[in-house]
Amino acid sequence: MKLRLCLILLFPFALFAQPAPKRLTAEKVFNTIKVDGRLDDVLWEEAPVATDFVMFDPGIGLPIPQRFRTQVKVLYSDEAILVGAFMHDQAPDSILTQMTARDNFNENCDWFGIFINPFNDGLSDFNFWVTAAGVQADSRTTANGDDFSWNTVWESAVRITDSGWVCEIRIPYISLRFPKTQKKDWGLNMIRNIRRNRQQYSWNLLDRNSGFSLEYQTGLLAGMEEINPPVRLSLMPYLSTYANAFDGETNYDFNAGLDLKYGINESFTLDMTLIPDFGQVPFDRQVLNLSPFENQFDENRQFFTEGAELFTIGDLFYSRRIGGAPKNITGQALNNGESVDIRQEFTRLLNATKISGRSNGNLGIGFLNAVTADNYTVFTDSSGNETRVLTEPLTNYNVLVLDQRFNRNSSVSFINTNVLRNGTAPDANVMGLVSSLYSKSGNYLIEAQGKRSDQITEQENIEGYESMLSLSDVGGNWRWSASQTLRTDQYEINDLGFLQRNNQIAYNAAFSRETFQPIGAFNRTRLQLVSNHRSLYRPNRFESFDLGFESFFLLRSFFAFGVNTYVRPVEAYDYFEPRNEDYFFKLPGAYSMDGFISSDYRKPVALDLRVAMDHWFGMGRAEYSVNIEPRLRFSDRLFSILTFDVLNVQNDYGWVAENEGQPYFGKRDIYQLTSSVNATYTFTPQMSLGLNLRHLWTGVDYLSFFALSRDGELEPTPSLAGVNDINFNTFNLDLRFSWWFAPGSEMILLYRNAIAGSGSTVNTDYFTNLRNTWSAPQQNNLSLRLTYFLDY
């Protein structure tokens, strides 16, 4: 009776207890093993085996079927970790082997992944994947997900046999960071992906329903002893040459530079780029910006994306501020009658350095410094006269981050960004203190942030502040969150950060129900209610209130769909669209709906489709959009994604001009069509040809004009001089051949075509717009870049 009572009392705790992590002991070897995908070396015979994989997705914890049993062995030497994995499969002809470019591993192919954490801190994972086609992928774990811009040097080989497929991996220690005095156990986990049934199995149990991140749910690798961390010094010199043709003129350019990585000690790394050349980064997806806010664009320069996890803490650092060209084209600029041509010169990055790492006490330290040259804007009027204006002087940028982790995944961080400009131009400094505190169970999270900005001129110092407090339930099926954010009207971080607007008090709440195990016809579901309340900080005025319902469903057939609805039940007030702080624009209530479907990506032809509508009560404004993305797999080597995005906004209202402090609005119809092709042909795991093509057309047809009154209403007014319709087109084409001709060494041959044009006559015929775009002056560029990896 007592035993039964004890079992009853302990049963609820057993349901939530974390199972003990699995443990694998690596054996040290002193002879070289040839990485050939055969596992026939005698050294593999006596190595301990990791087996008994369990389901990670779509279910949780189910044992792997016997026909797919997976066995992994780990050895180590004075130079590297060696991994041998055998993935049994009774139908080897069903193993999927789509060929992809490096780092693009999760397409229609089977793969094996191993995740190593020498610090066993749940945050410093080094991740390596190999597909059944032999394609490599690697990444570093960050607080924002995997960083695939991190590329390192390692070996792998695969072989498909009569009873499955084999993967053999050699990871040199130069590709890892680990303390000189090794931890007793390293973190270790492995995942096998069986693509034909879209099932994934992990060695140590990974519970997606837990509040702890997957990186904390790791197994243990024992026996890693008597290893001396190598000197981590690598150089990547590059040579690049360009042939540029524009409007009948051709010029040539040649560049040489160097990227350097040096391990200051076992934990910290110095990265430097000298005379950097970013001429081959992907083009930006440019849009016509009619809003009062700046658009944000992705960072594609490897120096700023690789190992940047510390610098993203607190959202105070936007690396696109450092160097490059302007990225926003506005209707105001296109309607400027005083200048027929505005050219912004490229801001040259002279050098950049960053130091990052994490100590044995789990203190992360990140430091970044960069210097850019003078930047000019050139204005040309209708008479051909040019005016060259210094818009950005020689500038020094600094970022410092200290991130202390404790109690597994809790943290407190300090961030400081600083901008110093040459001459009398203003300087800037921003500081932030950010904390994330998890409960012992990992199911509850408290986040608190405090930030201060300083705009520093010779005359004054302008201070601004932001605070945020959030409480969330992040574990289990039922989840909720509530938060408040306050930004003062003088809070400004855009010298080195990105913030579309300040002067706001925001309240947000969400309540959701999620399932992580297959139930009935569904693999996964999510239902969520959200609410948002916005007001100005100064003066304290109401802005908006809205409610929303969001849903997501994934069927057992891996067909996904969802429907979202939002409603703004009361009038809202826009204090930014007028571009004048003395005015606001009154918005009526509104509702919107959108829905999507996504078919099974295992099929040769798959489809993503999203449709949306938005309607304002009383003003007749209606917005409709359709996004269609067919995914076409012609063979295991040729894959393409087509995108067609159509937007139609009827009776839109927005700012167009200001005269003597009076804002004027226009009633307009907006048409937008984006079509793009992204295709890749992969010759070998080291050699691929990629095509990225995009055409954007935006038409803005003004119907009537209004003067904005101080009570937020619109009063009809005659047509405004100098305000024209806008017909805007951009076309970009990148044709890129990549060849990894040696470990860590790459040759890229790139042809690029770029066209941008704007007119005042809206043409709703798409093909006419495309022909007119091609008749505009074109920028043609052919470049060759050669990078070679030199390891000390």
Side-chain angles (χ1 to χ4, degrees), residues 456-476:
I456 306 166
T457 67
E458 292 182 334
Q459 293 78 28
E460 61 179 340
N461 180 24
I462 303 174
E463 303 171 4
Y465 298 90
E466 177 186 279
S467 66
M468 189 279 287
L469 181 65
S470 170
L471 177 63
S472 307
D473 179 350
V474 295

Side-chain angles (χ1 to χ4, degrees), residues 288 290 335 648-654 656 665-672 697-706 723-728 759-764:
L288 176 65
L290 297 173
N335 274 321
N648 183 9
V649 186
Q650 301 173 3
N651 301 322
D652 181 59
Y653 293 83
V656 292
F665 274 49
K667 179 181 178 182
R668 60 205 180 190
D669 289 342
I670 301 175
Y671 313 92
Q672 182 167 292
W697 164 64
T698 303
V700 182
D701 185 9
Y702 284 97
L703 308 175
S704 55
F705 297 94
F706 304 84
V723 177
N724 301 308
D725 296 340
I726 302 172
N727 200 70
F728 176 68
S760 59
T761 301
V762 176
N763 194 322
T764 57

Side-chain angles (χ1 to χ4, degrees), residues 334-360:
L334 294 174
N335 274 321
N336 190 325
E338 300 177 359
S339 177
V340 297
D341 186 21
I342 303 175
R343 300 193 308 279
Q344 184 81 29
E345 292 189 354
F346 187 88
T347 302
R348 182 70 173 177
L349 176 61
L350 299 178
N351 60 69
T353 303
K354 63 183 176 185
I355 298 173
S356 61
R358 192 168 291 275
S359 71
N360 286 337

Side-chain angles (χ1 to χ4, degrees), residues 270-321:
L270 167 69
D271 290 89
M272 295 185 66
T273 180
L274 305 175
I275 320 177
D277 172 29
F278 302 120
Q280 288 194 335
V281 298
F283 59 78
D284 288 318
R285 294 185 171 270
Q286 188 62 263
V287 296
L288 176 65
N289 186 4
L290 297 173
S291 80
F293 305 120
E294 178 187 4
N295 286 336
Q296 187 172 18
F297 291 86
D298 294 335
E299 176 61 87
N300 296 308
R301 299 170 294 179
Q302 185 173 349
F303 177 84
F304 291 105
T305 58
E306 181 182 327
E309 63 272 13
L310 284 170
F311 303 104
T312 62
I313 295 174
D315 294 325
L316 292 177
F317 176 52
Y318 178 44
S319 58
R320 290 295 295 267
R321 300 292 183 206

Side-chain angles (χ1 to χ4, degrees), residues 281-535:
V281 298
F283 59 78
D284 288 318
R285 294 185 171 270
Q286 188 62 263
V287 296
L288 176 65
N289 186 4
L290 297 173
S291 80
F293 305 120
E294 178 187 4
N295 286 336
Q296 187 172 18
F297 291 86
D298 294 335
E299 176 61 87
N300 296 308
R301 299 170 294 179
Q302 185 173 349
F303 177 84
F304 291 105
T305 58
E306 181 182 327
E309 63 272 13
L310 284 170
F311 303 104
T312 62
I313 295 174
D315 294 325
L316 292 177
F317 176 52
Y318 178 44
S319 58
R320 290 295 295 267
R321 300 292 183 206
I322 303 175
K327 302 300 182 293
N328 283 284
I329 297 175
T330 66
Q332 180 186 11
L334 294 174
N335 274 321
N336 190 325
E338 300 177 359
S339 177
V340 297
D341 186 21
I342 303 175
R343 300 193 308 279
Q344 184 81 29
E345 292 189 354
F346 187 88
T347 302
R348 182 70 173 177
L349 176 61
L350 299 178
N351 60 69
T353 303
K354 63 183 176 185
I355 298 173
S356 61
R358 192 168 291 275
S359 71
N360 286 337
N362 224 342
L363 173 64
I365 301 176
F367 172 75
L368 183 144
N369 175 265
V371 179
T372 59
D374 291 337
N375 173 273
Y376 292 89
T377 299
V378 180
F379 298 88
T380 304
D381 61 22
S382 57
S383 301
N385 300 315
E386 283 191 353
T387 303
R388 194 165 182 255
V389 179
L390 178 67
T391 53
E392 186 74 18
L394 178 75
T395 305
N396 185 85
Y397 300 90
N398 285 290
V399 184
L400 173 65
V401 181
L402 303 175
D403 175 55
Q404 179 64 62
R405 298 276 164 164
F406 58 93
N407 291 343
R408 294 174 67 83
N409 50 350
S410 295
S411 68
V412 174
S413 308
F414 170 79
I415 310 100
N416 177 250
T417 67
N418 182 269
V419 179
L420 297 175
R421 297 184 173 94
N422 189 37
T424 60
D427 302 324
N429 191 79
V430 179
M431 295 184 294
L433 189 64
V434 177
S435 64
S436 297
L437 307 176
Y438 284 85
S439 64
K440 187 175 181 180
S441 66
N443 289 332
Y444 298 98
L445 170 64
I446 297 177
E447 295 178 283
Q449 299 183 8
K451 301 170 185 176
R452 167 177 167 153
S453 68
D454 290 272
Q455 301 288 306
I456 306 166
T457 67
E458 292 182 334
Q459 293 78 28
E460 61 179 340
N461 180 24
I462 303 174
E463 303 171 4
Y465 298 90
E466 177 186 279
S467 66
M468 189 279 287
L469 181 65
S470 170
L471 177 63
S472 307
D473 179 350
V474 295
N477 299 111
W478 294 96
R479 304 188 178 195
W480 53 264
S481 66
S483 67
Q484 182 207 46
T485 302
L486 182 152
R487 298 188 184 103
T488 68
D489 56 327
Q490 294 184 332
Y491 180 67
E492 174 59 64
I493 67 170
N494 284 338
D495 292 88
L496 193 47
F498 183 90
L499 181 66
Q500 284 193 325
R501 57 158 294 184
N502 55 18
N503 195 18
Q504 185 179 72
I505 302 176
Y507 297 91
N508 307 89
F511 183 74
S512 66
R513 162 72 179 177
E514 299 183 53
T515 62
F516 300 93
Q517 294 269 29
I519 299 176
F522 300 98
N523 271 333
R524 196 179 309 159
T525 64
R526 179 177 58 83
L527 303 174
Q528 180 170 252
L529 294 173
V530 297
S531 68
N532 304 287
H533 182 281
R534 303 281 187 271
S535 62

Side-chain angles (χ1 to χ4, degrees), residues 33-36 79-85 87 100-105 110-116 126-140 147-158 165-176 191 234 306 685-686 740-745 789 791:
I33 293 179
K34 182 180 179 181
V35 179
D36 56 9
E79 294 81 27
I81 294 177
L82 302 154
V83 182
M87 278 65 68
T100 58
R102 195 181 197 278
D103 281 344
N104 187 19
F105 70 97
D110 288 32
W111 52 258
F112 170 77
I114 182 166
F115 317 105
I116 301 171
F126 297 84
N127 311 312
F128 304 89
W129 291 265
V130 182
T131 74
V135 175
Q136 289 185 347
D138 45 28
S139 77
R140 285 284 310 277
D147 175 14
F148 281 96
S149 65
W150 178 77
N151 289 317
T152 190
V153 175
W154 50 292
E155 297 177 68
S156 65
V158 301
W165 67 287
V166 180
C167 175
E168 195 170 16
I169 299 172
R170 181 181 183 273
I171 304 171
Y173 295 133
I174 193 175
S175 299
L176 306 173
I191 294 179
S234 61
E306 181 182 327
Q686 294 79 33
W740 293 86
F741 60 90
S745 305
F789 177 81
D791 178 13

